[in-house]
């Protein structure tokens, strides 16, 4: 998400009572919650979760902008690139089997269906013969969001299919074509750890209650999901395991007490299963996050967990559960490894602006089916690529199975 910060906002709104109550009850029953569980309920509780809310959360009237809320250009550029990849897949199919075997574009985390609509419209107008051979699959566990998407995409009829999880996708035969997500991985729940310098170990932050507030508290032990961090060097997930111990020896003495590290095991697992579900083609994500070694940078000790509402950075991540977005940087190195473990080759990890610029250059080479470069398209491209807008914040990871 492009979270344009206008100013710090206060937290004077009352939390949604129902979700706050549910959280309080769980804490009373089980003790303090790991941050990941708090996030899971705050964002995805089936009734009161932030992403289940009927109010607009993306775009000018929402809490943050995405590349999709800039306008239809982002989807059109993706559609143009996807069409080229699908043409390649069809050629390969023709070499090894029936050329018209169905191909899929799978979008995960389609939210209100806007990006799907932009992509499908472009294909319908510019590559109708290809669209005839492509199925658009949406992966979304939420029935409510599926309902929003079904309404928006009704004109595409049976070309669009819905799946609640990767198990269903695999039962349908897996994916030949493209699997992609835009700003999904940064919305996965994270565990939040702190470095205890005196004891040279990681401990985990959890969430407790005091009166009607939620507060951070140290958990007595690491949750099973992050138990590997009992070996502190495991935090260097951007490095090959064989290099971690020696790198840690020089890093540990300069790591400040309280240094915060976020771990997203759900995002890594999700990506690994996505990679396993890809029979042939590309897997890609657009997101913001750590692209190099900066996941443990002693000069940036506070972590990246943030909350946003009405385009404002909110001071208290734990306030107003269900009414504000909560997000953390993606660890691209860990995600890249998760895909490679499932046998994918990494094609590139690059800035979104560079990636889109390359597509734009191709659209301008004749003969092009992309359509005229209008002023409006130029304006949207500026916003997507300019470093003060979305250009610098986002990266693209592309992996493939050939
Ligand atoms: C930040 S929004 C993405 C916005 C949208 N892709 C766009 O570009 O505007 C993340 C979306 O992914 C959905 N989501 C969360 N977990 C998911 C999962 N495991 N599989 C698919 N979608 C998920 C969220 O509910 C939310 O609608």
């Amino acid at each position: 998400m492009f979270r344009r910060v206008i100013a710090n906002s206060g937290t004077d709104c009352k939390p949604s009572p129902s979700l706050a109550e549910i959280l309080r009850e769980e804490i009373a029953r089980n003790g303090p919650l790991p941050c990941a569980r708090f996030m899971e309920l705050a964002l995805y509780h089936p009734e009161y979760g932030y992403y289940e809310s009927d109010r607009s959360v993306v775009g000018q009237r929402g809490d943050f902008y995405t590349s999709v809320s800039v306008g239809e250009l982002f989807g059109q550029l993706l559609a143009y690139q996807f069409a080229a990849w699908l043409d390649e897949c069809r050629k390969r199919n023709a070499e090894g089997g029936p050329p018209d075997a169905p191909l899929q574009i799978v979008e995960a985390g389609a939210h209100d269906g806007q990006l799907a609509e932009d992509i499908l419209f472009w294909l319908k107008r510019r590559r109708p013969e290809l669209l005839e051979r492509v199925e658009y699959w949406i992966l979304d566990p939420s029935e409510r969001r599926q309902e929003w998407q079904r309404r928006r995409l009704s004109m595409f009829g049976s070309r669009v299919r819905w799946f609640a999880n990767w198990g269903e996708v695999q039962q349908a035969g897996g994916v030949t074509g493209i699997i992609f997500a835009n700003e999904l991985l940064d919305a996965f729940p994270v565990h939040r750890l702190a470095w205890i310098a005196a004891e040279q170990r990681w401990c985990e932050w959890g969430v407790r209650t005091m009166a009607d507030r939620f507060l951070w508290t140290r958990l007595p032990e690491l949750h099973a999901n992050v138990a590997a961090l009992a070996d502190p060097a495991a935090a260097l997930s951007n490095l090959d395991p064989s290099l971690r111990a020696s790198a840690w020896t020089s890093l540990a003495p300069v790591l400040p007490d309280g240094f915060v590290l976020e771990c997203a095991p759900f995002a890594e697992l999700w990506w690994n299963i996505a990679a396993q579900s890809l029979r042939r083609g590309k897997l890609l994500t657009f997101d913001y996050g750590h692209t190099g070694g900066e996941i443990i940078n002693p000069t940036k000790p506070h972590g990246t967990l943030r909350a946003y509402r009405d385009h404002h950075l909110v001071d208290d991540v734990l306030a107003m559960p269900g009414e504000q977005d909560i997000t953390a940087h993606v660890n691209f190195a860990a995600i890249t490894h998760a895909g490679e473990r499932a046998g994918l080759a990494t094609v590139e990890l690059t800035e979104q602006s560079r990636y889109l610029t390359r597509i734009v250059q191709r659209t301008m080479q004749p003969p092009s089916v992309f359509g005229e470069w209008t002023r409006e398209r130029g304006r949207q491209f500026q916003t997507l690529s300019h470093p003060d807008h979305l250009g610098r914040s986002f990266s693209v990871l592309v992996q493939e199975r050939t």
Side-chain angles (χ1 to χ4, degrees):
M1 278 141 249
F2 178 55
R3 292 163 171 98
R4 186 157 56 104
V5 178
I6 297 171
N8 279 352
S9 77
T11 53
D12 46 2
C13 291
K14 286 241 179 308
S16 155
S18 308
L19 186 53
E21 254 164 48
I22 290 164
L23 283 158
R24 266 197 290 277
E25 272 169 25
E26 190 161 323
I27 292 171
R29 217 173 32 249
N30 302 336
L33 301 179
C35 173
R37 176 65 179 157
F38 182 90
M39 263 179 98
E40 186 187 354
L41 289 170
L43 297 181
Y44 303 114
H45 183 279
E47 191 60 34
Y48 306 113
Y50 176 79
Y51 281 115
E52 296 287 328
S53 167
D54 280 328
R55 82 178 176 87
S56 297
V57 299
V58 183
Q60 198 170 9
R61 283 180 296 147
D63 298 325
F64 54 86
Y65 294 102
T66 71
S67 300
V68 181
S69 49
V70 170
E72 62 282 0
L73 181 67
F74 181 67
Q76 293 171 344
L77 290 172
L78 295 198
Y80 182 85
Q81 175 61 74
F82 291 174
W85 283 338
L86 292 169
D87 286 340
E88 275 170 32
C89 273
R90 285 186 71 204
K91 252 193 231 148
R92 280 174 175 269
N93 275 356
E95 286 157 17
D100 285 334
L103 298 170
Q104 295 87 29
I105 298 175
V106 182
E107 180 182 356
H111 199 63
D112 60 3
Q114 180 63 63
L115 180 54
E117 186 179 55
D118 295 341
I119 291 173
L120 283 161
F121 258 132
W122 187 89
L123 289 170
K124 189 173 153 73
R125 265 195 83 196
R126 299 282 165 185
R127 295 293 311 273
E129 82 301 343
L130 178 64
L131 185 59
E132 284 296 305
R133 291 172 174 79
V134 174
E135 294 172 344
Y136 200 98
W137 292 1
I138 292 184
L139 178 73
D140 201 314
S142 156
E143 280 176 27
R144 189 177 296 178
R145 288 192 306 267
Q146 284 196 12
E147 192 43 48
W148 303 340
Q149 295 152 9
R150 277 179 214 281
R151 254 184 269 143
R152 177 170 291 224
L153 301 171
S154 59
M155 79 278 272
F156 295 101
S158 59
R159 193 137 313 281
V160 189
R161 281 174 68 185
W162 278 264
F163 298 83
N165 53 55
W166 286 119
E168 290 182 8
V169 170
Q170 288 172 358
Q171 262 175 15
V175 179
T176 304
I178 293 150
I179 303 176
F180 80 103
N182 183 49
E183 300 192 48
L184 168 62
L185 298 180
D186 69 60
F188 271 82
V190 296
H191 288 267
R192 189 166 182 257
L193 296 116
W195 178 243
I196 309 200
E199 299 169 27
Q200 293 286 292
R201 68 174 178 92
W202 293 105
C203 82
E204 181 162 0
W205 282 114
V207 181
R208 69 180 171 97
T209 51
M210 194 176 70
D212 61 351
R213 297 186 61 204
F214 295 99
L215 300 174
W216 292 109
T217 186
R218 288 189 175 178
L219 298 179
E221 54 191 35
L222 300 177
H223 187 274
N225 289 340
V226 286
L229 287 164
D231 168 12
L236 290 171
S237 54
N238 54 315
L239 295 183
D240 188 83
S242 62
L243 303 174
R244 288 180 193 163
S246 62
W248 190 255
T249 310
S250 41
L251 183 59
V254 294
L255 203 58
D257 187 49
F259 180 95
V260 172
L261 173 75
E262 286 114 11
C263 295
F266 299 109
E268 290 165 37
L269 181 65
W270 186 92
W271 188 262
N272 180 264
I273 299 174
Q276 290 175 38
S277 310
L278 183 67
R279 289 158 61 98
R280 193 165 68 233
K282 302 278 197 281
L283 170 63
L284 66 161
T285 183
F286 297 81
D287 232 308
Y288 62 87
H290 301 293
T291 52
E294 57 305 5
I295 180 169
I296 302 204
N297 178 346
T299 65
K300 294 190 178 164
H302 303 301
T304 65
L305 192 69
R306 304 278 185 270
Y308 292 85
R309 186 173 166 85
D310 297 335
H311 301 279
H312 290 78
L313 183 61
V314 180
D315 291 333
D316 184 357
V317 172
L318 304 179
M320 300 188 289
E323 296 184 36
Q324 59 186 24
D325 187 27
I326 307 178
T327 173
H329 277 29
V330 171
N331 177 349
F332 277 105
I335 297 295
T336 302
H337 288 155
E340 289 174 353
R341 277 200 303 278
L344 299 195
T346 299
V347 179
E348 64 180 321
L349 171 60
T350 189
E351 280 178 16
Q352 173 170 306
S353 56
R354 186 175 304 191
Y355 190 77
L356 295 181
T357 302
R358 273 199 331 243
I359 302 178
V360 168
Q361 284 164 349
R362 283 201 293 274
T363 68
M364 290 175 170
Q365 286 162 13
S368 175
V369 293
F370 187 66
E372 192 195 343
W373 267 95
T374 58
R375 261 174 184 228
E376 177 52 23
R377 275 182 160 172
R379 189 196 64 74
Q380 291 182 25
F381 182 64
Q382 270 285 320
T383 309
L384 290 172
S385 57
H386 195 283
D388 287 346
H389 297 280
L390 291 108
R392 195 169 32 207
S393 341
F394 288 91
S395 299
V396 187
L397 171 65
V398 185
Q399 298 189 306
E400 70 177 2
R401 193 187 306 280
T402 52

